[in-house]
Amino acid sequence: MIIEDNFRQEFYNKIKKGDKSVVLIVSVDTDALCTTMILTHLLRCDDIPFSILAVEGWSSVEKIFADSQEQKCHYILINCGATRSLTRLQIPPASIAFVIDSHRPFHIENVYENGQIHLLANPSEMSELQIPDLESVIREDSDDEEDSDEDEDQEYISYEQRMEKIRRKAIKREEMQIWERQRRTILWRYYESTWFSSPSCVTLLEMAAEMNRVSAETMWFTAVGLNSAMADKLISIEMYTQICVDRMRPFVHRFMPKNIVNQGKVDDLLHITFGRELPLALYSHWDLFSAMMVSEYFSIKTKNWTQKGDVNIRHLLAQLGITLHETKQKFEALPTEQRNLVVDVLEKEMDSSFATFFGTLGYCGKLSACDVARAVTLRLEMPKSETIMNRFRSGQSILRSSITGERQDRLNLNNTFTSICQRTLQVSWKTVAAAINQSEIIPNGPYYLFSCSRSIDEDMVDSRHFLYNTAGFMIRAFASMKKGRTTKPLIAMFPLTGESAGWLVVTGVMPIATIYEDSLLKTCIGRAFERVKKMTPPLRIVDDYFNSDIIRLKSEDRTRFIDFLQTVFEGTSN
Amino acid sequence: MNAERCEFIAGNSLIEVIPSISDDRPIHLISGDIGPFEAGVPCRIPVWTAILMKRKHNCKVVAPQWMDVDELKKILTSETESQGLAKLPDHFFEISHMLVRDAREDIFEVEAVKSLVQDIYDRRDAKLRSSAIEFLRQNQTCHAQLDNVQLIEASSARATLEACRQMGAVVRNKHESTPL
Amino acid sequence: MSSGDQNRGGVADKALQLVLEMKRNPDVLPPYNTELVRQCYQKIDELFQKNAAVVEKIRAGLPHDSTLLQPRLAAMCHIRRCMMAYVNERKNRIRSFRWKYGGALPASVRNALCDAEIQFFNEYSSTLARFQSNLGEGGVNLLLHSAPPKSLFVQVRALEDYGEFETSDGTQVQLSKDSLHSLPRQDCEMLIRQGVLELVH
């Protein structure tokens, strides 16, 4: 069932009762990590013991359930569990599950069929969810059986009565068939697209505020989780801005420096400000030239993967009045005045209204939540050779190190920025550049297909951040090269190496035209993949990820997959 | 006795807090009763309770009187001017450490407080060190008197002096067991 | 000690070996080396007999060579000192086992002890138990409070698949490898000591 409001009563106080042990099942993504940090803070304040298990796919969740069938637990699933039926995953009968997941849509069985499962949702999104009524999707079957039993008992019934009964049964059967057809249509429409709602960390921040347990750290965690949802392209900038304005505003005022006792003098407390920022990833820890080169906006504007790219860049910089020398220097090395000037010019050029949260602590410089979000995400998602829990703990320590104010921690953070984040951005750009220059993006009927021929760093290619960002960048870059490329989706395939050699990881993005239509970034790619999986003869597909639009495909089945997908896309009116 | 245990003992001293929750029932501890609490009404509780409540967002800590920039400056001056050690409030260093670590929002000008306490510690530490060297240098007599030493300073000095004593024993042993 | 002539060897070599055995194994208790101890006894006996023979000769007024009397005595003291060091070190370690493992020693450790040592362990355990039960009402388990407590709960990570674990308030916790938990400090202390759990931030 769905819990729409009063989370404190319906969710937290039930856990607080202490009659069952508390187990957090956490997906390995930044929003889930931030939500966990806030939730565990609350649990520790109330002296409630808990356990944390990190998971990366549905099979891990199933295994956890399988290992604890006799136990009575309160399972709290964070950013997993909403989109597939938990009943079918064999949730232990004596346990209760609370699902705080930003994946949508909810699986119908989780909503209606099982009293053990409680889904937390925001009241503002209820209309968007368009959950079908109970009667249209779940049917009580018991009536039919009763009728047939009655028949057998009574031997002595008249001919007319018997005919009447048969007629009634026929009508009922027909009604059932109509109802079934309607149900199929309703569910078809309901499950058509997948999208993300507001990040779970914001929900938990509001619940913590109700309990008067919000500190600057809590707010910082929420800021990072929120920014990660935007950096991973899960929510649109409009939705992000709306959440910042509507839901984060009261907190922003609380933790700004001027409201604190010490009147703005430099102190060791964490202060959070909300301000405008260039939507240029990591530029303040890099040099402008490199940051601009890998950014979607500037890369597409100057088409810097083509031979004319260099010339275009020089033109653009000249236009903006920025010297090449300025851009090639480390940004921190520029004098403050110059920095502000350049940022102003670039902001006007990019014409964005992006604003984010900055954390300051003592004498350490301002840190943007967006950059920290990227660092945490990448640390959580790579290297895949590390165990899930190790990555979870590393992500935790990076998140914490952004607010300790200790020099060593700040150095580690900067190290992560340079070694992992910048590298990922560069690899992403290189992939897109190669794809376009070597014409690797082929139109294949109703969609564009990109088959990556070279192998990319094994750790990187399996990460959601890399896949979503690269695919989105690619389709935009591709569309910028020629007119008329905005109406078809792009499917991208990358070969895996090492242990998973022989498999491809496949993902896709919706056509550009649709992206501008709704601010929820709804995608049907996941559904398309599901339908391909059901076709015969069955392909070897592993769809274990919580995001249905990322799957693994056996390389040998590639050609058939491409054909099946074509059929699926042609079948539905896009 | 080490710094951790000194802090543990210091936790028993009382401090004033302003609770933000209310509870009618008093809590019965081995050392006495605490509470009942009424939101907004100041009361005195042990420091360890105050820290636990602070972590759960249940109270606001009122810094002790001596934890004020001017008071600390006075202490620092008297420490500089006198030859021996000045008299400090009980568990001065432990309580400052605990409050700065866990209740920093409630201390006014926490940075200045931190640096002043550090200065006081350094001055005293220098005096203790020179006093220890004098003590070990003694040949005929072997006693010293030093007033106003804090528990935490004594416990760290004890470790050093104990080590010196053991070294002396080893050296004597060596002389005694030289081969014939 | 000059080891110019390998064949001769030093008179206290075996005793030195005993001490070295303990020094080279700081983490694991090697089995009680009955053989080496016996050899040391023998050595002391040997030296004593030789000295006694010389003393006899002195008493009888016969020609004698008393140059080796003192060195032999010194050697006997040295060997005895080494043996005492050996026994003392083992005793210290056995005592620490009571604090590490509680009252029941694992089989691997038990096999390394000689009978006298096992008896020592048992007596020490019961003395400790008597002492603990005398404190307060119902006794105190000192093992659970080895460091001043800072908070009621600690954050721990399970280092192995331990399985089910019940805390003092009845909740069942499943400890699987690498899982993170927040548990009452008292319940964790034994497991932390045994290396099943590890404290984390």
Side-chain angles (χ1 to χ4, degrees):
Chain A
M1 57 173 134
I2 296 191
I3 307 180
E4 274 182 67
D5 57 6
N6 215 352
F7 295 143
R8 188 179 175 187
Q9 282 293 94
E10 302 291 325
F11 159 57
Y12 192 74
N13 285 351
K14 297 225 168 112
I15 302 217
K16 203 167 152 184
K17 262 203 292 206
D19 53 341
K20 297 188 173 61
S21 59
V22 177
V23 178
L24 275 69
I25 301 181
V26 183
S27 160
V28 181
D29 72 82
T30 313
D31 178 28
L33 174 64
C34 296
T35 314
T36 311
M37 302 288 272
I38 304 178
L39 182 57
T40 53
H41 171 68
L42 295 174
L43 292 172
R44 274 195 292 264
C45 283
D46 283 322
D47 286 334
I48 301 174
F50 58 86
S51 314
I52 302 181
L53 296 163
V55 290
E56 215 161 15
W58 294 103
S59 49
S60 314
V61 179
E62 204 168 348
K63 183 165 186 305
I64 294 177
F65 285 160
D67 286 342
S68 40
Q69 279 293 314
E70 307 81 41
Q71 288 188 358
K72 290 195 297 175
C73 305
H74 279 298
Y75 289 108
I76 308 181
L77 285 88
I78 304 191
N79 274 1
C80 58
T83 49
R84 281 200 201 168
S85 167
L86 290 178
T87 329
R88 302 231 186 129
L89 287 181
Q90 311 283 339
I91 179 172
S95 307
I96 298 199
F98 291 95
V99 178
I100 311 176
D101 188 354
S102 55
H103 290 91
R104 297 283 181 273
F106 292 131
H107 196 278
I108 287 294
E109 278 177 38
N110 286 345
V111 176
Y112 288 128
E113 232 170 273
N114 197 335
Q116 292 171 266
I117 300 172
H118 305 259
L119 305 159
L120 273 73
N122 286 309
S124 52
E125 61 167 334
M126 291 308 289
S127 55
E128 188 58 53
L129 283 176
Q130 295 184 335
I131 299 182
D133 301 323
L134 173 60
E135 305 80 47
S136 19
V137 287
I138 312 279
R139 178 74 157 201
E140 302 291 322
D141 291 326
S142 45
D143 302 332
D144 296 333
E145 303 211 3
E146 268 182 48
D147 279 343
S148 49
D149 281 340
E150 268 179 51
D151 277 344
E152 321 231 322
D153 282 350
Q154 290 185 350
E155 291 174 333
Y156 201 65
I157 38 179
S158 66
Y159 177 71
E160 288 85 20
Q161 280 179 316
R162 217 179 299 145
M163 286 312 295
E164 186 60 37
K165 273 219 166 68
I166 292 178
R167 211 179 316 138
R168 251 188 273 141
K169 266 218 255 188
I171 296 179
K172 226 190 193 120
R173 212 177 311 143
E174 214 184 295
E175 282 178 358
M176 267 302 286
Q177 282 173 348
I178 299 179
W179 182 84
E180 277 285 344
R181 263 203 301 274
Q182 279 183 334
R183 178 175 179 271
R184 267 202 296 273
T185 324
I186 292 178
L187 287 183
W188 179 276
R189 250 184 269 141
Y190 178 66
Y191 285 129
E192 184 65 33
S193 6
T194 56
W195 70 97
F196 288 88
S197 73
S198 58
S200 317
C201 53
V202 183
T203 315
L204 226 47
L205 175 72
E206 292 170 337
M207 190 178 85
E210 260 182 75
M211 300 194 258
N212 261 323
R213 287 188 178 157
V214 176
S215 63
E217 282 78 19
T218 324
M219 169 137 179
W220 178 251
F221 295 150
T222 315
V224 172
L226 178 56
N227 271 277
S228 84
M230 204 212 59
D232 278 1
K233 304 250 165 89
L234 307 180
I235 58 177
S236 61
I237 294 218
E238 290 84 34
M239 190 172 180
Y240 166 84
T241 318
Q242 193 187 20
I243 296 179
C244 288
V245 167
D246 290 341
R247 296 165 74 177
M248 299 289 278
R249 202 211 301 256
F251 304 103
V252 170
H253 281 161
R254 255 177 80 175
F255 297 111
M256 285 184 79
K258 58 180 183 295
N259 285 0
I260 310 288
V261 159
N262 291 332
Q263 300 298 324
K265 288 195 207 146
V266 174
D267 58 21
D268 244 353
L269 295 171
L270 176 65
H271 294 302
I272 303 183
T273 47
F274 182 68
R276 290 193 57 148
E277 168 73 311
L278 264 188
L280 199 58
L282 293 173
Y283 74 93
S284 52
H285 302 273
W286 216 352
D287 59 276
L288 278 176
F289 189 78
S290 312
M292 282 164 68
M293 206 179 94
V294 297
S295 90
E296 253 186 57
Y297 178 84
F298 285 108
S299 179
I300 292 181
K301 181 153 186 156
T302 57
K303 298 201 177 37
N304 59 2
W305 53 83
T306 60
Q307 287 183 333
K308 272 192 76 195
D310 254 351
V311 176
N312 290 344
I313 297 176
R314 274 174 226 277
H315 273 270
L316 179 62
L317 289 179
Q319 240 181 327
L320 297 173
I322 309 176
T323 66
L324 197 60
H325 174 73
E326 267 174 336
T327 57
K328 295 245 174 162
Q329 273 191 310
K330 265 192 91 64
F331 187 74
E332 295 167 334
L334 291 173
T336 324
E337 270 240 13
Q338 212 177 354
R339 254 188 266 170
N340 292 339
L341 269 173
V342 171
V343 168
D344 265 340
V345 166
L346 288 174
E347 260 180 5
K348 281 203 199 68
E349 165 62 28
M350 295 177 86
D351 195 23
S352 83
S353 49
F354 178 58
T356 185
F357 299 89
F358 296 92
T360 40
L361 187 63
Y363 288 104
C364 296
K366 276 204 312 193
L367 207 51
S368 118
C370 201
D371 293 337
V372 174
R374 283 204 173 86
V376 175
T377 310
L378 289 173
R379 194 65 192 84
L380 284 175
E381 293 183 359
M382 5 177 159
K384 277 292 196 303
S385 51
E386 261 189 62
T387 62
I388 301 181
M389 285 308 288
N390 267 351
R391 278 185 271 140
F392 183 78
R393 290 209 353 254
S394 308
Q396 251 186 337
S397 74
I398 293 216
L399 185 57
R400 281 209 192 96
S401 67
S402 64
I403 49 173
T404 58
E406 301 214 6
R407 208 171 148 270
Q408 185 56 39
D409 286 331
R410 208 37 94 84
L411 285 175
N412 287 342
L413 192 55
N414 283 334
N415 199 15
T416 316
F417 284 148
T418 41
S419 59
I420 305 183
C421 304
Q422 290 170 0
R423 197 167 65 95
T424 312
L425 287 166
Q426 284 168 328
V427 171
S428 191
W429 179 87
K430 279 202 196 106
T431 314
V432 172
I436 300 189
N437 284 337
Q438 292 162 25
S439 305
E440 289 178 344
I441 306 176
I442 329 166
N444 190 29
Y447 65 91
Y448 296 118
L449 176 66
F450 166 66
S451 243
C452 188
S453 48
R454 77 212 78 77
S455 67
I456 302 184
D457 191 341
E458 172 189 340
D459 291 332
M460 213 177 277
V461 82
D462 210 1
S463 97
R464 179 180 74 171
H465 178 88
F466 174 78
L467 289 171
Y468 279 8
N469 274 303
T470 310
F473 189 178
M474 198 181 286
I475 196 176
R476 282 207 169 83
F478 186 61
S480 73
M481 292 295 280
K482 203 163 138 185
K483 274 198 165 337
R485 286 176 169 177
T486 56
T487 52
K488 296 193 195 158
L490 168 72
I491 305 292
M493 298 184 173
F494 297 89
L496 291 167
T497 56
E499 270 187 11
S500 325
W503 288 84
L504 301 166
V505 70
V506 187
T507 185
V509 270
M510 294 292 275
I512 297 187
T514 56
I515 295 180
Y516 291 123
E517 267 174 24
D518 74 292
S519 64
L520 282 179
L521 297 186
K522 285 190 176 175
T523 168
C524 328
I525 307 282
R527 192 80 179 122
F529 287 169
E530 270 174 49
R531 288 195 201 125
V532 169
K533 187 172 183 205
K534 291 204 185 106
M535 293 169 88
T536 51
L539 303 171
R540 283 162 290 183
I541 292 183
V542 172
D543 55 354
D544 199 39
Y545 297 96
F546 295 123
N547 306 292
S548 52
D549 52 1
I550 304 180
I551 57 167
R552 282 198 183 189
L553 171 72
K554 200 99 178 75
S555 319
E556 288 105 36
D557 292 343
R558 191 173 153 276
T559 351
R560 279 193 300 149
F561 177 82
I562 295 175
D563 292 333
F564 283 176
L565 193 59
Q566 195 168 351
T567 324
V568 167
F569 274 133
E570 273 163 1
T572 53
S573 48
N574 229 355
Chain B
M1 181 60 58
N2 54 19
E4 208 184 345
R5 293 180 192 179
C6 290
E7 190 176 300
F8 184 62
I9 294 178
N12 255 340
S13 41
L14 295 176
I15 192 173
E16 189 167 317
V17 299
I18 305 177
S20 52
I21 50 151
S22 299
D23 196 359
D24 291 331
R25 305 158 298 173
I27 306 176
H28 304 290
L29 302 175
I30 296 178
S31 53
D33 290 348
I34 320 182
F37 294 120
E38 200 184 312
V41 174
C43 58
R44 286 179 80 74
I45 56 176
V47 169
W48 67 266
T49 322
I51 305 270
L52 282 185
M53 283 178 71
K54 180 78 196 161
R55 282 201 195 134
K56 299 184 185 186
H57 305 265
N58 279 345
C59 75
K60 192 166 131 60
V61 172
V62 175
Q65 263 189 334
W66 48 261
M67 204 180 243
D68 167 63
V69 175
D70 297 317
E71 284 292 324
L72 289 174
K73 281 198 181 131
K74 274 195 222 148
I75 296 180
L76 185 61
T77 345
S78 77
E79 195 66 58
T80 324
E81 284 163 7
S82 73
Q83 264 264 327
L85 297 171
K87 182 142 178 54
L88 290 181
D90 278 339
H91 307 293
F92 176 77
F93 293 111
E94 294 92 318
I95 297 188
S96 327
H97 178 76
M98 286 195 276
L99 291 184
V100 165
R101 186 186 61 201
D102 287 313
R104 52 165 35 127
E105 304 94 56
D106 296 334
I107 304 177
F108 193 65
E109 293 188 339
V110 64
E111 276 303 293
V113 165
K114 249 172 73 171
S115 66
L116 282 167
V117 171
Q118 184 70 43
D119 286 339
I120 297 175
Y121 182 82
D122 290 333
R123 292 278 158 87
R124 293 169 70 94
D125 191 51
K127 287 187 200 165
L128 282 167
R129 211 167 328 131
S130 46
S131 161
I133 293 176
E134 276 302 317
F135 171 62
L136 290 169
R137 227 179 248 159
Q138 292 173 336
N139 267 330
Q140 307 289 60
T141 50
C142 202
H143 78 271
Q145 174 172 339
L146 199 55
D147 292 329
N148 297 329
V149 179
Q150 289 262 309
L151 181 64
I152 195 169
E153 292 164 333
S155 60
S156 62
R158 187 177 298 124
T160 322
L161 293 174
E162 182 65 29
C164 294
R165 194 179 69 78
Q166 281 190 355
M167 276 203 289
V170 168
V171 169
R172 269 196 302 281
N173 240 348
K174 165 110 179 61
H175 284 291
E176 276 169 12
S177 55
T178 319
L180 304 160
Chain C
M1 233 189 266
S2 66
S3 47
D5 195 347
Q6 292 288 31
N7 284 336
R8 269 217 298 229
V11 76
D13 265 357
K14 300 279 190 283
L16 185 63
Q17 262 179 45
L18 274 182
V19 175
L20 285 176
E21 200 177 283
M22 291 313 288
K23 184 163 178 187
R24 285 187 190 133
N25 290 301
D27 307 315
V28 170
L29 188 70
Y32 187 78
N33 204 331
T34 334
E35 181 53 32
L36 262 186
V37 171
R38 192 188 57 79
Q39 286 175 357
C40 289
Y41 276 138
Q42 246 183 348
K43 199 71 190 188
I44 295 185
D45 259 344
E46 242 180 69
L47 293 166
F48 182 76
Q49 294 304 332
K50 287 195 182 137
N51 265 7
V54 175
V55 169
E56 271 300 314
K57 281 202 184 131
I58 295 177
R59 285 216 188 116
L62 293 168
H64 59 268
D65 181 10
S66 58
T67 44
L68 284 182
L69 276 182
Q70 281 285 46
R72 280 202 204 102
L73 189 59
M76 281 193 273
C77 288
H78 187 75
I79 297 177
R80 185 183 70 164
R81 193 165 168 193
C82 288
M83 290 170 78
M84 303 256 269
Y86 180 71
V87 173
N88 189 47
E89 176 63 20
R90 288 180 73 87
K91 174 203 78 174
N92 286 340
R93 290 197 197 175
I94 293 171
R95 258 210 314 225
S96 71
F97 287 155
R98 170 65 180 83
W99 291 89
K100 186 168 168 188
Y101 294 119
L105 288 174
S108 55
V109 171
R110 199 167 260 273
N111 290 339
L113 304 180
C114 73
D115 288 331
E117 289 176 330
I118 294 186
Q119 196 186 1
F120 167 72
F121 178 80
N122 290 337
E123 282 178 22
Y124 179 71
S125 296
S126 51
T127 314
L128 183 60
R130 255 203 323 272
F131 175 67
Q132 283 181 166
S133 60
N134 274 337
L135 302 167
E137 337 147 338
V140 171
N141 189 350
L142 291 172
L143 277 177
L144 297 180
H145 304 278
S146 58
K150 290 243 167 63
S151 59
L152 210 47
F153 278 69
V154 285
Q155 319 299 311
V156 291
R157 178 171 81 106
L159 294 172
E160 54 187 48
D161 268 323
Y162 185 79
E164 279 209 14
F165 171 65
E166 187 163 337
T167 61
S168 48
D169 48 5
T171 28
Q172 301 269 24
V173 181
Q174 181 84 354
L175 298 176
S176 51
K177 184 167 196 301
D178 272 350
S179 50
L180 296 168
H181 304 272
S182 171
L183 295 170
R185 200 185 41 84
Q186 285 181 194
D187 299 328
C188 297
E189 183 128 9
M190 270 320 276
L191 290 177
I192 294 176
R193 226 188 267 265
Q194 289 168 359
V196 174
L197 294 177
E198 175 193 55
L199 280 175
V200 292
H201 194 288

